[in-house]
Amino acid sequence: MRKSYAAVLTAVMGAVAVVASTTPSYAAANPASICGAGYSVIDSEKVSNSPAATSYLLWNGSSNCVVTIRATAGKATLMHAKLRVQGGSWKGDENDYTSYAGPVRAAANGTCVMWGGGINEASYTSGWEHCG
């Protein structure tokens, strides 16, 4: 009886190890998939090393989109993404997130934008750029 119990326990532990090793790890979110069809990254800025996060500016031919993405998902922490079209006010998304903030979108055909994002105390804000 003792050998049977040990054999079953060994088999169960082996199965747990196989499942744990095949569980997919977090893959960083894709900025274009967050913003939607037709958006492509035109600029990015690393905003933090710990935890690692990057803000991305995307364009689809008529609108910009901004997202701030952590390199690896983790405990929810304060993150933000922001966008301002010249002549307008800031639009933003700020909250406690585990993987990304945004998307923040605004029509910006033929004008300049300011954009940025952050995580915890680290942040980035561009000057007026990507005009046109």
Side-chain angles (χ1 to χ4, degrees), residues 32-70:
S33 67
I34 296 168
C35 286
Y39 281 95
S40 299
V41 174
I42 60 170
D43 208 342
S44 65
E45 185 71 30
K46 190 172 189 173
V47 293
S48 176
N49 290 322
S50 182
T54 302
S55 287
Y56 297 89
L57 176 66
L58 295 88
W59 174 251
N60 73 355
S62 62
S63 294
N64 285 106
C65 179
V66 177
V67 294
T68 300
I69 303 175
R70 292 172 69 159

Side-chain angles (χ1 to χ4, degrees), residues 16-127:
V16 168
V18 168
V19 169
S21 68
T22 59
T23 302
S25 62
Y26 170 80
N30 178 310
S33 67
I34 296 168
C35 286
Y39 281 95
S40 299
V41 174
I42 60 170
D43 208 342
S44 65
E45 185 71 30
K46 190 172 189 173
V47 293
S48 176
N49 290 322
S50 182
T54 302
S55 287
Y56 297 89
L57 176 66
L58 295 88
W59 174 251
N60 73 355
S62 62
S63 294
N64 285 106
C65 179
V66 177
V67 294
T68 300
I69 303 175
R70 292 172 69 159
T72 57
K75 180 182 172 196
T77 191
L78 185 62
M79 297 180 68
H80 73 272
K82 61 185 179 179
L83 177 60
R84 181 178 180 192
V85 177
Q86 197 165 24
S89 57
W90 284 102
K91 291 183 171 189
D93 177 33
E94 181 174 328
N95 212 328
D96 289 336
Y97 293 113
T98 59
S99 56
Y100 66 88
V104 179
R105 296 181 193 91
N109 203 8
T111 189
C112 304
V113 296
M114 292 176 76
W115 63 280
I119 185 167
N120 293 327
E121 300 298 317
S123 67
Y124 168 76
T125 303
S126 76

